């Protein structure tokens, strides 16, 4: 049966999926560290950052998916096709540093979770997290993208249950949450955490990845009814995925704000786990740790998938996933072996991700606004304007952060 006919016969919900895989990146251990630290140190002050970051991410992820559907190529492939070799190598180097920072957060987070649940040493937990993520990648490599979507979506459900349990048992004061919607900061540390939240939400590797996920799932539909339907379904896919991711990120911050503020070590994941257990009970604390473990396993798999796509698109080189695992796993294991504060390492890794965002957004907005590439699906003026505003805001926040840190 032709793909066109098959897609028309499927209900819209059956075409959902790629955005939920990309959304795994928005609920990884880096998000947990950034959100818990923000809530424990500043209460509900940075609620507005999570809301704004998710709105930004929704726009960006839709543009990435649209690029994949309309052009039949991933964003790294489009960048590689329009760049000379030196530029492609330089671009890949910065993208690879972002991939390493991503993997550091996810492997360290998985190691912390295994330590909390089973008492395993952090280094051993990191090795186990890396090995399990490789097994998850093998599922996608052998069974295709649809099976990988199902596995990662299942893990997303576990993550949701793990982190929303705390919110259900100990709901916050709605008035305090609403008060956090007023944009403001409270010193350099709040700017650092806001940048970390932003970097953990508008993830550069998720921007690169989503274009390839949409292309692999739906192919390259010709202009016409099928493409219009797929773009419409993609908007729903992104909207629903970002709603789930946003709710989870908000839950992490408000639970920390309501239960951990002012406590010793409340701004660390281990301290948060202990405090949640003391305030809400050991069952809720176990759910928290299981959610953290699921987020580490799922997100490190998605991150490695994105890294392979970036390398293939920019360098036109296909590297076995095992080698990619070993390369990006090294820094994370080094952090664990050296005894560096894992929560602080997680937060700083998200700041590195934030610096990589403009490198993904600038070409994405330029290409999706180019009529010679996108045809009738070129961004409208309002969409392009919003995209450039997102890019400028993120760049300005990074500049302010550098000033505050170095002064």
């Amino acid at each position: 049966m032709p793909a066109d006919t098959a897609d028309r016969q499927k209900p819209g919900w059956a075409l959902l999926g790629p955005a939920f895989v990309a959304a795994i990146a928005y609920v990884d251990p880096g998000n947990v560290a950034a959100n818990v630290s923000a809530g424990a140190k500043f209460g509900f002050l940075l609620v507005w950052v999570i809301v704004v970051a998710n709105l930004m991410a929704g726009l960006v992820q839709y543009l990435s998916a649209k690029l994949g559907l309309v052009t039949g190529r991933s964003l790294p492939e489009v960048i590689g096709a329009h760049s000379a070799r030196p530029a492609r190598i330089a671009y890949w180097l910065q993208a690879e540093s972002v991939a390493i920072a991503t993997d550091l957060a996810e492997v360290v987070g998985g190691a912390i979770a295994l330590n909390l649940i089973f008492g395993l040493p952090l280094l051993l937990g990191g090795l186990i997290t890396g090995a399990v993520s490789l097994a998850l990648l093998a599922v996608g490599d052998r069974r295709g993208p649809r099976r990988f979507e199902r596995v990662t979506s299942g893990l997303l459900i576990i993550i949701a249950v793990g982190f929303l349990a705390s919110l259900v048992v100990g709901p916050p004061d709605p008035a305090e949450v609403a008060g956090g919607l007023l944009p403001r900061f409270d010193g350099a540390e709040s700017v650092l955490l806001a940048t970390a939240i932003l970097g953990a939400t508008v993830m550069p590797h998720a921007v690169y990845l989503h274009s390839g996920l949409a292309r692999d799932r739906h192919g390259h539909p010709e202009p016409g009814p099928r493409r219009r339907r797929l773009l419409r379904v993609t908007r729903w896919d992104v909207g629903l995925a970002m709603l789930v991711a946003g709710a989870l990120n908000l839950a992490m911050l408000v639970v920390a704000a309501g239960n951990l503020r002012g406590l010793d070590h409340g701004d660390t994941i281990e301290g948060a786990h202990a405090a949640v257990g003391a305030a809400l009970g050991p069952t809720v604390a176990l759910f928290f740790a299981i959610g953290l473990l699921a987020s580490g396993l799922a997100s490190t798999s998605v991150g490695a998938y994105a890294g392979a796509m970036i390398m293939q698109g920019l360098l036109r080189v296909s590297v076995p996933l095992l080698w990619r695992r070993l390369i990006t796993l090294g820094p994370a294991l080094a952090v664990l072996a050296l005894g560096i504060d894992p929560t602080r390492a997680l937060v700083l890794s998200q700041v590195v991700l934030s610096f990589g965002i403009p490198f993904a957004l600038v070409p994405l907005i330029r290409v999706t606004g180019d009529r010679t590439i996108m045809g009738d699906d070129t961004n409208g003026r309002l969409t392009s304007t919003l995209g450039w505003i997102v890019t400028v805001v993120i760049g300005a926040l990074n500049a302010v952060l550098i000033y505050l840190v170095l002064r």
Side-chain angles (χ1 to χ4, degrees), residues 37-319:
S37 294
K41 289 185 176 180
F42 297 102
F44 300 93
L45 178 74
L46 299 180
V47 165
W48 68 274
V49 177
I50 289 180
V51 175
V52 171
N54 274 271
L55 291 174
M56 290 180 174
L59 171 64
V60 169
Q61 291 306 132
Y62 173 68
L63 293 181
S64 177
K66 182 173 77 167
L67 173 67
L69 285 171
V70 172
T71 67
R73 293 185 291 180
S74 68
L75 178 58
E77 287 174 336
V78 172
I79 295 172
H82 293 82
S83 304
R85 180 173 175 78
R88 284 191 286 114
I89 293 175
Y91 200 96
W92 170 76
L93 287 173
Q94 68 81 26
E96 192 67 26
S97 66
V98 168
I100 290 173
T102 301
D103 217 32
L104 186 150
E106 292 153 354
V107 172
V108 170
I112 293 174
L114 289 170
N115 174 262
L116 294 175
I117 298 171
F118 301 110
L120 296 180
L122 289 176
L123 183 57
L124 177 58
L127 289 169
I128 292 174
T129 301
V132 173
S133 68
L134 184 61
L136 295 176
L137 287 167
V139 170
D141 193 41
R142 296 179 181 178
R143 301 294 183 88
R146 184 57 177 155
R147 182 60 62 88
F148 186 67
E149 283 178 18
R150 290 172 179 169
V151 172
T152 52
S153 296
L155 288 170
L156 183 60
I157 292 173
I158 295 174
I159 296 167
V161 172
F163 291 127
L164 291 178
S166 302
L167 190 63
V168 172
V169 175
D173 182 350
E176 290 187 303
V177 177
L181 294 173
L182 178 64
R184 62 197 189 280
F185 294 109
D186 183 15
E189 183 68 14
S190 68
V191 177
L192 174 67
L193 287 171
T195 307
I197 292 171
L198 194 62
T201 304
V202 189
M203 299 281 277
H205 76 280
V207 179
Y208 297 122
L209 176 66
H210 201 168
S211 55
L213 290 173
R215 183 268 319 274
D216 293 344
R217 174 70 184 280
H218 301 303
H220 179 206
E222 294 297 323
R226 178 171 176 253
R227 180 187 287 183
R228 288 195 297 272
R229 183 179 187 230
L230 288 174
L231 288 173
R232 185 169 60 252
V233 168
T234 296
R235 286 192 287 272
W236 278 100
D237 195 23
V238 171
L240 291 171
M242 294 313 305
L243 182 63
V244 172
L248 291 176
N249 282 312
L250 188 59
M252 297 175 204
L253 187 146
V254 300
V255 167
N259 297 281
L260 310 180
R261 190 173 187 186
L263 297 180
D264 291 339
H265 307 296
D267 58 345
T268 67
I269 292 178
E270 299 92 336
H273 175 264
V276 166
L280 305 177
T283 301
V284 177
L286 178 61
F287 275 116
F288 178 92
I290 291 173
L292 178 64
L293 177 60
S295 75
L297 295 176
S299 55
T300 192
S301 304
V302 171
Y305 194 171
M309 187 177 293
I310 291 168
M311 178 175 285
Q312 188 168 14
L314 291 172
L315 300 185
R316 299 163 191 169
V317 172
S318 181
V319 176

